[in-house]
PDB file of all heavy atoms in Angstrom:
ATOM      1  N   ILE A 574      19.401   6.657   9.842  1.00  0.00           N
ATOM      2  CA  ILE A 574      18.303   6.513  10.808  1.00  0.00           C
ATOM      3  C   ILE A 574      17.558   7.841  10.926  1.00  0.00           C
ATOM      4  O   ILE A 574      18.072   8.800  11.502  1.00  0.00           O
ATOM      5  CB  ILE A 574      18.836   6.050  12.178  1.00  0.00           C
ATOM      6  CG1 ILE A 574      19.483   4.660  12.042  1.00  0.00           C
ATOM      7  CG2 ILE A 574      17.719   6.025  13.205  1.00  0.00           C
ATOM      8  CD1 ILE A 574      20.024   4.087  13.331  1.00  0.00           C
ATOM      9  N   ASN A 575      16.370   7.880  10.337  1.00  0.00           N
ATOM     10  CA  ASN A 575      15.564   9.108  10.317  1.00  0.00           C
ATOM     11  C   ASN A 575      14.104   8.817  10.685  1.00  0.00           C
ATOM     12  O   ASN A 575      13.194   9.054   9.885  1.00  0.00           O
ATOM     13  CB  ASN A 575      15.601   9.752   8.924  1.00  0.00           C
ATOM     14  CG  ASN A 575      16.977  10.220   8.530  1.00  0.00           C
ATOM     15  OD1 ASN A 575      17.565  11.066   9.192  1.00  0.00           O
ATOM     16  ND2 ASN A 575      17.507   9.650   7.452  1.00  0.00           N
ATOM     17  N   PRO A 576      13.840   8.308  11.873  1.00  0.00           N
ATOM     18  CA  PRO A 576      12.451   7.958  12.212  1.00  0.00           C
ATOM     19  C   PRO A 576      11.513   9.156  12.294  1.00  0.00           C
ATOM     20  O   PRO A 576      10.294   8.990  12.235  1.00  0.00           O
ATOM     21  CB  PRO A 576      12.597   7.280  13.582  1.00  0.00           C
ATOM     22  CG  PRO A 576      13.845   7.868  14.155  1.00  0.00           C
ATOM     23  CD  PRO A 576      14.760   8.066  12.988  1.00  0.00           C
ATOM     24  N   SER A 577      12.069  10.366  12.434  1.00  0.00           N
ATOM     25  CA  SER A 577      11.232  11.558  12.554  1.00  0.00           C
ATOM     26  C   SER A 577      10.765  12.106  11.213  1.00  0.00           C
ATOM     27  O   SER A 577       9.956  13.032  11.164  1.00  0.00           O
ATOM     28  CB  SER A 577      11.983  12.657  13.317  1.00  0.00           C
ATOM     29  OG  SER A 577      13.231  12.925  12.710  1.00  0.00           O
ATOM     30  N   VAL A 578      11.260  11.535  10.104  1.00  0.00           N
ATOM     31  CA  VAL A 578      10.835  11.983   8.773  1.00  0.00           C
ATOM     32  C   VAL A 578       9.434  11.452   8.490  1.00  0.00           C
ATOM     33  O   VAL A 578       9.160  10.262   8.682  1.00  0.00           O
ATOM     34  CB  VAL A 578      11.822  11.511   7.691  1.00  0.00           C
ATOM     35  CG1 VAL A 578      11.268  11.794   6.298  1.00  0.00           C
ATOM     36  CG2 VAL A 578      13.154  12.209   7.875  1.00  0.00           C
ATOM     37  N   ARG A 579       8.543  12.332   8.017  1.00  0.00           N
ATOM     38  CA  ARG A 579       7.145  11.946   7.739  1.00  0.00           C
ATOM     39  C   ARG A 579       6.914  11.964   6.225  1.00  0.00           C
ATOM     40  O   ARG A 579       6.984  13.011   5.586  1.00  0.00           O
ATOM     41  CB  ARG A 579       6.181  12.903   8.420  1.00  0.00           C
ATOM     42  CG  ARG A 579       6.386  13.030   9.927  1.00  0.00           C
ATOM     43  CD  ARG A 579       5.439  14.070  10.492  1.00  0.00           C
ATOM     44  NE  ARG A 579       4.055  13.618  10.410  1.00  0.00           N
ATOM     45  CZ  ARG A 579       3.008  14.436  10.281  1.00  0.00           C
ATOM     46  NH1 ARG A 579       3.204  15.736  10.141  1.00  0.00           N
ATOM     47  NH2 ARG A 579       1.781  13.953  10.236  1.00  0.00           N
ATOM     48  N   SER A 580       6.612  10.806   5.672  1.00  0.00           N
ATOM     49  CA  SER A 580       6.348  10.739   4.234  1.00  0.00           C
ATOM     50  C   SER A 580       5.061  11.476   3.868  1.00  0.00           C
ATOM     51  O   SER A 580       4.924  11.963   2.744  1.00  0.00           O
ATOM     52  CB  SER A 580       6.246   9.276   3.786  1.00  0.00           C
ATOM     53  OG  SER A 580       5.155   8.633   4.429  1.00  0.00           O
ATOM     54  N   LEU A 581       4.133  11.581   4.792  1.00  0.00           N
ATOM     55  CA  LEU A 581       2.820  12.166   4.506  1.00  0.00           C
ATOM     56  C   LEU A 581       2.929  13.589   3.972  1.00  0.00           C
ATOM     57  O   LEU A 581       2.210  13.967   3.038  1.00  0.00           O
ATOM     58  CB  LEU A 581       1.958  12.138   5.771  1.00  0.00           C
ATOM     59  CG  LEU A 581       0.565  12.760   5.657  1.00  0.00           C
ATOM     60  CD1 LEU A 581      -0.274  12.023   4.618  1.00  0.00           C
ATOM     61  CD2 LEU A 581      -0.135  12.750   7.010  1.00  0.00           C
ATOM     62  N   VAL A 582       3.812  14.394   4.549  1.00  0.00           N
ATOM     63  CA  VAL A 582       3.877  15.804   4.165  1.00  0.00           C
ATOM     64  C   VAL A 582       4.464  15.990   2.767  1.00  0.00           C
ATOM     65  O   VAL A 582       4.368  17.078   2.194  1.00  0.00           O
ATOM     66  CB  VAL A 582       4.682  16.621   5.194  1.00  0.00           C
ATOM     67  CG1 VAL A 582       4.021  16.566   6.555  1.00  0.00           C
ATOM     68  CG2 VAL A 582       6.129  16.125   5.291  1.00  0.00           C
ATOM     69  N   ALA A 583       5.072  14.943   2.209  1.00  0.00           N
ATOM     70  CA  ALA A 583       5.615  15.017   0.851  1.00  0.00           C
ATOM     71  C   ALA A 583       4.645  14.462  -0.180  1.00  0.00           C
ATOM     72  O   ALA A 583       4.914  14.525  -1.386  1.00  0.00           O
ATOM     73  CB  ALA A 583       6.942  14.250   0.765  1.00  0.00           C
ATOM     74  N   TYR A 584       3.513  13.929   0.261  1.00  0.00           N
ATOM     75  CA  TYR A 584       2.563  13.290  -0.646  1.00  0.00           C
ATOM     76  C   TYR A 584       1.948  14.317  -1.587  1.00  0.00           C
ATOM     77  O   TYR A 584       1.385  15.330  -1.160  1.00  0.00           O
ATOM     78  CB  TYR A 584       1.471  12.583   0.162  1.00  0.00           C
ATOM     79  CG  TYR A 584       0.370  11.979  -0.675  1.00  0.00           C
ATOM     80  CD1 TYR A 584       0.638  10.923  -1.540  1.00  0.00           C
ATOM     81  CD2 TYR A 584      -0.925  12.460  -0.599  1.00  0.00           C
ATOM     82  CE1 TYR A 584      -0.370  10.355  -2.302  1.00  0.00           C
ATOM     83  CE2 TYR A 584      -1.940  11.902  -1.360  1.00  0.00           C
ATOM     84  CZ  TYR A 584      -1.651  10.855  -2.208  1.00  0.00           C
ATOM     85  OH  TYR A 584      -2.658  10.302  -2.972  1.00  0.00           O
ATOM     86  N   ASN A 585       2.051  14.058  -2.882  1.00  0.00           N
ATOM     87  CA  ASN A 585       1.566  14.963  -3.915  1.00  0.00           C
ATOM     88  C   ASN A 585       0.212  14.499  -4.436  1.00  0.00           C
ATOM     89  O   ASN A 585       0.125  13.533  -5.206  1.00  0.00           O
ATOM     90  CB  ASN A 585       2.580  15.040  -5.063  1.00  0.00           C
ATOM     91  CG  ASN A 585       2.076  15.867  -6.231  1.00  0.00           C
ATOM     92  OD1 ASN A 585       1.242  16.750  -6.062  1.00  0.00           O
ATOM     93  ND2 ASN A 585       2.582  15.581  -7.418  1.00  0.00           N
ATOM     94  N   THR A 586      -0.854  15.175  -4.048  1.00  0.00           N
ATOM     95  CA  THR A 586      -2.200  14.784  -4.462  1.00  0.00           C
ATOM     96  C   THR A 586      -2.467  15.094  -5.926  1.00  0.00           C
ATOM     97  O   THR A 586      -3.489  14.647  -6.466  1.00  0.00           O
ATOM     98  CB  THR A 586      -3.256  15.501  -3.597  1.00  0.00           C
ATOM     99  OG1 THR A 586      -3.031  16.919  -3.653  1.00  0.00           O
ATOM    100  CG2 THR A 586      -3.185  15.044  -2.156  1.00  0.00           C
TER     101      THR A 586
END
Side-chain angles (χ1 to χ4, degrees):
I574 297 181
N575 296 299
S577 55
V578 171
R579 304 176 68 209
S580 63
L581 178 61
V582 298
Y584 175 66
N585 175 26
T586 55

